Structures are given as C-alpha cells and as structure tokens.
Amino acid sequence: MATPDSSAGGNFIREIVEQDLATGKHRRIVTRFPPEPNGYLHIGHAKSICLNFGLAQEHQGITHLRFDDTNPSTESVEYVESIQADVRWLGFDWGDRLFYASGYFDRLYEYAVQLIKRGRAYVDSLSAEEIRKHRGTLTEPGRDSPHRTRSVEENLDLLARMKAGEFPDGTHVLRAKIDMAAPNINLRDPTLYRIRHVAHHRTGGEWCLYPTYDYAHPLSDALEGITHSICTLEFEDHRPLYDWFLDNLDVPSHPRQIEFARLNLTHTVMSKRRLLDLVGKGHVNGWDDPRLPTLQGLRRRGCTPEAIRAFCEHIGVQKRDGTIEMALLEHFIREDLNRRAPRVMAVLRPLKVVIENYPEGRTEELEAVNNPEDPGAGTRTVPFSRTLYIEQDDFREVPPKKFFRMTPGQEVRLRYAYIVKCVSVVKDERTGEAVEVRCTYDPETKSGGPQAGRKVKGTLHWVSAAHAKDAEARLYEHLFAKADPDDVPEGQDYSANLNPHSLERLEGCKVEPSLAGAKPGLRYQFERQGYFCVDPDSAKGRLVFNRTVALRDSWAKVEKAQQE
Ligand code: ATP
Ligand code: MG
C-alpha cells in the first residue's frame, strides 16, 4: 500500500504549468473538468476538480466545466444537475464557461469529413466482432479491414447516409486510418463514430451517429483552447492518439495531455459501475448514503468542502497509482470540524441517574463553553436537575481496572456541573441490568464554588431528563470490512466484503435542549462521542444525527505502522 506521505503535497503538474508560464509558452492557462454525466461525483472526482480548478486559480487562469456527454444511453439530466451542484458545493465556480461535448457534434462531424478527405479515415462495414478479430493482440499485429481501401467519395457518401439514419445500429463505423500494425493498439485504426439510434438528453433525436471519447475529447479540448488537459493514468496509452487527431486536423490549438494517478481509498469503492451496483441493489440507501464516497454522501455525513480540499492538497498528485488510507481522509475531516463545530452534550445510550440529595423540581442553568478551540464561539447554558441521563458505558457496577467513570463509591465530575458519587444501583429483576443509578452530589463543587477545583479522575457528559430532546443517531463504520473490497475468495464478488455493521441506528438518544430545531446540515461535536451532523430526515420534533467521525484519530497510528 502506498504511503501517502511519501510525496505529500507534491504536484508535478503544478511544476509543468509554472514552467509553461515562465517560458511564455502560455500567457494564461486554461484547464477543464470533463465529467461524463452518467453518475454522481465521488471523492476521486474531487481530486481532479481541486487539481484543475486549483491550478487555474493559483495562476490566474480559468477552468471550464465540460460535460463529456457522448454516450446517450447512460447519461441523464439528473446527473448533469447533480454534478454542477457538487462542483459548486466543493467551492469552485466555472463562471459562464459551461460546455458540452454534444455542443460540438456539428464540428466534430465536419472534422470527420476533413479526415476522410485527407485519406485518414474510412467507413468500415465489418461487425464489431470481426473488427475485434482483426485488431490483433499485444504480441501480434492487426490485419487491415477489406474496407480500408474505400475511396474518399464512397466514404463521404456512406458517412452522410450513416448520419441521415439510413443504416441500423452496428452496420458501419467510421475509423481513423492510422496503422493496423502499430505496437500501441490504440493506434490500430480506432473507431471515431458509431451508429446508435438513441435519443440524447440534449440533442434529442437529431443524431443517430455518436463520436467516441477518444475522438471527441482532444477536439473538444482544442476547440476550447485548453492548455493543459489533465486526465487519469489509464489514458497514458491514448496520448499518441490524442496527439494524432490534433496533428492531422486543422484545429485552433494543441493542448497537452498530462496524466496523473487516480485517487483510490481503502475500505470503499469508487468506480461508477460499483456505485451504481451498490445503489441499485439496495446495499446502501441511495447516492447520498453517508457511507458512500460520493460528494453527496460525504456532505450528508457532515464532511465539509474545506476538509476535502485540504485532503486533496495534502495527498498531492502522483504519477503512479496507490491507495490512500481512509483514516487520512477522516483525519482531515476531524481537523476541520474541531475548529468549527460547537460542542454539545448528547447521550447516545441513556442510563437514568437520580441525584438523591438534589431538590425535586429544581433546575439550574449552568454555563457551558461552545468551543474551546474558538473563544469567539461564546457560551450557552445547559439545564441541570435531579434526574439525568448518562451513557450506559459510563457506569460499571463491577469496574475493570482503571475505570475512572461512574461506579459505586467513586466520585466523578459531571461536565460543567458537580462532582457526584454513586450510592446504589437499581437493577432489572429479570436481567440483572442496571436501569437506574442513585447518586449524591456535592454542592460545593460547582464551577465558581469553594470546592470547584477538587480533582477527580473522570468527567462525564450528561443531559437533564426533563429537558432533553429525543433524537436518533446513525453511527457509521467502513462500508467494506476489508481495506481492499476486491480481496475475496474465488467465485465471490466484492459485495462479500460489505461490512454488516456499517450502519448502526440508535433511536433512543437524549440530547441537550439547545439542539431543539437544529437545521439539517448543522454540525456539532457531541462531547466524547464524535462529530455529528443533522440529517435531512429530521422532521418537526424529531432529530436525526449522522456521526461524521468519532473523536479518536487513528491516522497517527496508521502512519507509524506504514513507516515501520
Ligand atoms: P469512474 O472510473 O468512477 O467511472 P470516470 O473516469 O469514468 O470515473 P468521468 O466522469 O469520466 O468518470 O471523470 C471525470 C474526470 O474525473 C476525469 O478527468 C477523470 O479522469 C477524473 N476522475 C475520475 N475518477 C477519478 C479518481 N478516482 N481520481 C482522480 N480523478 C478521477
Ligand atoms: Mg471517464
């Protein structure tokens, strides 16, 4: 597994851009983010977005958002809209530079005619299967199609009729005439156009001829005057083809394609095919399920755009594929939330506590600090009364060693309140489980009181039973139990590694009253429990929180293990 810190922050593309500006090759850089609208964006896309928009921003350049919409059967307006919303949410703005590959269909067709006239493209009428057979292998050259020698006139005529809808799907394709013996298979007369009688979400029924990615992409880049066309490593072998189109056509510019390693994360999957499969089979609850690495999932989970941008900047840009630990992303989420999230008290698994010497019917409003990391965040009050809830985990009748929480005879502090001591336990007669803890409190130990400074080893969070609001908390674990979801026994697929404990719903939580009416999207630190975000499922009188991350940061440990 690659250690992310081996090149943290390194970005070889930034160096290329700076050199091109220094030498005057370009006066202004133009980058683009070219998603195909066939799914929702994920954190891998965020790496590409941060890179393209980030580089342009740093160097007073511009970035285009271009939908690479050349495959009508898998694309839709729903995706076009969600992608724009997600790029904006991440904090980037393309201004008025929103483009579609489908917006160039006329010009791409004219370029195809130009290639034919130059003797550099032909209509092939072999079946897809025959074309594959003619292509050869890595060790054997391909063979020419019998249609390769068609005349320019015949090719022009056939192409026009293909466009006019005279032929059914699969009967003809347009291919570049390059070299069937080229060692790089991508250069063995690649397909430029296929006949597909399918309506397109933007051009409707206007076209029944659709360009391939390899053909449409370099030309779209050139038409837009892109200077640096940044893509992922799997396109490295396509670069000679990218350049071939631009060298063989009268294009307004010749962008440079630069490849970088895609982001992979442990314990999750990122390909759209996999994400579609997870959503489609109901393994998760939609594209914005907080367990998914989609931007909508991360957002619903409570992750901020700032955290994602800091993470992307930190991991940098590499030339070789690797996998980043999920713990590193969580580390960045935590760092960001630590600065911004107000602290509150919430009890996830409540256990009733009665303070026997505290007067019935009395309520005190105690002052609590909103965020020790941010003095400007101020204070609030929390109500204290005779009956409280604490976490079940914070009480043990028979404590293990070094248990500094609540146990008979031991003093603990209740955060912002008093020191209390357990004097007895009420148990369920059948199960023997503790259902209520009886305590006494020391009135002198209140903040500002004569005994306020008295030391005890444990401090617990709590809520006042009469004042607390009901809530549901959803706790998440990795979606996949193994770091590599594909690590499965033969005959099984990646879904065998789905973690059955990836979602735990706690419906009986009690939260402090200041959270009443908290709006979806607001983020908090529940003291001692982690960072939580209000879920859109919250409705009037019902609060639902997603745990974004727990408090304990495992990144330092992971990093240390990697270095050993
Ligand atoms: P997937 O493999 O998830 O289906 P894709 O590459 O087909 O993704 P596109 O919509 O074509 O998805 O991607 C838009 C841009 O985002 C491309 O430039 C692509 O290289 C980049 N990108 C996609 N996935 C990643 C990733 N994991 N890391 C970095 N960049 C990525
Ligand atoms: Mg793609």
Side-chain angles (χ1 to χ4, degrees):
M1 200 155 287
T3 59
D5 268 356
S6 58
S7 55
N11 181 340
F12 71 96
I13 303 179
R14 183 178 280 139
E15 287 162 30
I16 294 175
V17 161
E18 282 169 5
Q19 202 173 9
D20 287 348
L21 288 168
T23 61
K25 180 176 176 192
H26 298 295
R27 288 214 327 277
R28 181 174 79 159
I29 68 155
V30 185
T31 58
R32 87 286 173 266
F33 174 63
E36 185 180 354
N38 62 354
Y40 283 77
L41 296 183
H42 52 60
I43 183 137
H45 293 114
K47 176 174 174 180
S48 174
I49 295 168
C50 290
L51 178 58
N52 280 294
F53 281 91
L55 276 177
Q57 261 172 15
E58 281 168 34
H59 300 94
Q60 289 76 51
I62 54 173
T63 305
H64 297 185
L65 174 62
R66 183 198 321 138
F67 286 100
D68 190 0
D69 55 349
T70 54
N71 185 2
S73 48
T74 56
E75 298 164 3
S76 76
V77 175
E78 176 195 351
Y79 298 133
V80 168
E81 285 169 358
S82 75
I83 289 171
Q84 295 186 51
D86 287 350
V87 174
R88 283 210 189 87
W89 176 75
L90 249 195
F92 298 103
D93 183 7
W94 55 90
D96 58 359
R97 294 171 294 274
L98 175 61
F99 302 99
Y100 295 84
S102 58
Y104 306 130
F105 281 173
D106 283 316
R107 283 150 101 182
L108 297 179
Y109 183 82
E110 285 163 25
Y111 279 124
V113 169
Q114 198 178 99
L115 278 178
I116 292 177
K117 287 184 176 161
R118 293 178 176 183
R120 302 223 160 95
Y122 61 97
V123 173
D124 197 352
S125 312
L126 292 181
S127 68
E129 180 57 26
E130 283 170 312
I131 290 179
R132 199 170 318 118
K133 282 191 192 142
H134 277 71
R135 193 171 290 133
T137 63
L138 283 175
T139 50
E140 284 166 64
R143 281 175 296 127
D144 286 2
S145 160
H147 308 292
R148 199 173 196 263
T149 51
R150 271 179 173 147
S151 69
V152 169
E153 290 67 35
E154 193 185 351
N155 281 319
L156 288 175
D157 174 62
L158 279 170
L159 184 68
R161 290 165 58 199
M162 286 161 70
K163 177 173 186 258
E166 279 188 32
F167 308 114
D169 291 8
T171 48
H172 306 282
V173 294
L174 184 73
R175 300 177 70 179
K177 194 191 267 191
I178 307 180
D179 179 3
M180 286 306 292
N184 181 341
I185 294 184
N186 293 304
L187 295 176
R188 294 184 188 169
D189 292 8
T191 299
L192 312 187
Y193 274 99
R194 289 193 178 90
I195 300 173
R196 301 178 66 190
H197 292 269
V198 179
H200 186 280
H201 59 99
R202 287 188 70 80
T203 58
E206 195 185 336
W207 290 86
C208 61
L209 201 56
Y210 290 98
T212 56
Y213 172 88
D214 275 341
Y215 176 63
H217 202 76
L219 293 173
S220 305
D221 281 348
L223 289 170
E224 289 176 16
I226 301 298
T227 56
H228 300 82
S229 176
I230 302 168
C231 62
T232 38
L233 277 182
E234 68 272 22
F235 292 104
E236 196 166 16
D237 291 343
H238 297 237
R239 188 176 352 118
L241 182 57
Y242 184 97
D243 289 326
W244 187 89
F245 287 120
L246 301 183
D247 289 337
N248 284 279
L249 286 164
D250 297 332
V251 287
S253 73
H254 190 138
R256 172 172 175 189
Q257 175 179 308
I258 305 167
E259 309 86 19
F260 71 102
R262 62 173 49 229
L263 169 65
N264 298 305
L265 278 177
T266 61
H267 301 96
T268 192
V269 292
M270 223 109 79
S271 94
K272 284 183 203 153
R273 195 170 44 80
R274 289 281 173 80
L275 295 172
L276 263 169
D277 193 51
L278 288 170
V279 174
K281 291 191 176 144
H283 292 306
V284 293
N285 306 314
W287 285 100
D288 65 348
D289 187 299
R291 290 167 292 181
L292 288 181
T294 53
L295 295 185
Q296 303 215 357
L298 286 162
R299 171 188 197 164
R300 185 165 180 182
R301 177 124 168 202
C303 175
T304 63
E306 289 83 357
I308 296 178
R309 295 202 304 261
F311 167 73
C312 289
E313 179 60 26
H314 175 88
I315 59 177
V317 178
Q318 295 78 29
K319 199 72 207 180
R320 254 187 310 139
D321 275 322
T323 302
I324 305 279
E325 291 284 345
M326 187 66 90
L328 182 62
L329 173 60
E330 289 172 354
H331 168 80
F332 276 90
I333 295 173
R334 209 173 269 120
E335 293 258 290
D336 182 58
L337 292 176
N338 181 38
R339 255 173 267 131
R340 68 172 73 228
R343 276 56 173 168
V344 291
M345 292 198 284
V347 175
L348 301 184
R349 298 171 182 88
L351 173 63
K352 192 170 165 190
V353 173
V354 176
I355 300 173
E356 293 181 338
N357 59 341
Y358 195 87
E360 303 241 18
R362 176 159 153 199
T363 301
E364 282 177 275
E365 290 290 338
L366 304 175
E367 192 176 31
V369 175
N370 286 335
N371 187 349
E373 300 288 319
D374 176 7
T379 59
R380 69 189 183 289
T381 59
V382 285
F384 185 87
S385 65
R386 180 180 156 92
T387 307
L388 312 170
Y389 292 113
I390 62 167
E391 297 288 346
Q392 290 167 15
D393 266 4
D394 281 339
F395 173 78
R396 283 283 176 280
E397 191 180 9
V398 184
K401 266 206 189 105
K402 296 200 176 164
F403 185 80
F404 301 123
R405 295 176 258 172
M406 194 177 283
T407 188
Q410 178 164 290
E411 286 195 317
V412 285
R413 181 178 296 279
L414 295 177
R415 181 96 158 133
Y416 302 121
Y418 300 94
I419 288 175
V420 296
K421 186 201 273 184
C422 167
V423 290
S424 64
V425 192
V426 182
K427 289 194 259 185
D428 181 308
E429 278 179 13
R430 260 180 330 108
T431 63
E433 233 178 292
V435 290
E436 183 180 312
V437 177
R438 314 282 300 185
C439 290
T440 55
Y441 85 117
D442 180 345
E444 308 231 303
T445 55
K446 188 179 166 179
S447 166
Q451 293 279 320
R454 202 160 94 212
K455 293 263 181 297
V456 287
K457 281 195 168 153
T459 299
L460 308 183
H461 63 278
W462 52 272
V463 292
S464 163
H467 303 87
K469 301 292 164 199
D470 292 323
E472 172 183 337
R474 298 177 184 166
L475 310 186
Y476 301 99
E477 302 273 336
H478 294 318
L479 185 52
F480 289 91
K482 282 193 184 160
D484 175 6
D486 281 319
D487 179 10
V488 282
E490 225 177 278
Q492 290 186 11
D493 80 347
Y494 77 108
S495 64
N497 277 330
L498 278 165
N499 176 5
H501 309 296
S502 60
L503 167 61
E504 183 183 7
R505 293 170 69 151
L506 301 174
E507 310 213 18
C509 308
K510 299 283 184 183
V511 302
E512 67 168 69
S514 74
L515 289 171
K519 297 271 176 304
L522 287 178
R523 304 177 181 92
Y524 300 91
Q525 184 195 98
F526 287 3
E527 294 211 19
R528 300 175 63 230
Q529 297 291 4
Y531 294 99
F532 287 75
C533 180
V534 184
D535 190 82
D537 281 351
S538 296
K540 229 178 159 33
R542 177 167 173 267
L543 286 162
V544 180
F545 292 92
N546 293 310
R547 181 154 72 184
T548 316
V549 280
L551 290 180
R552 190 187 305 263
D553 194 328
S554 58
W555 172 239
K557 226 168 78 193
V558 172
E559 193 182 28
K560 189 157 169 270
Q562 283 179 342
Q563 283 163 357
E564 275 163 5

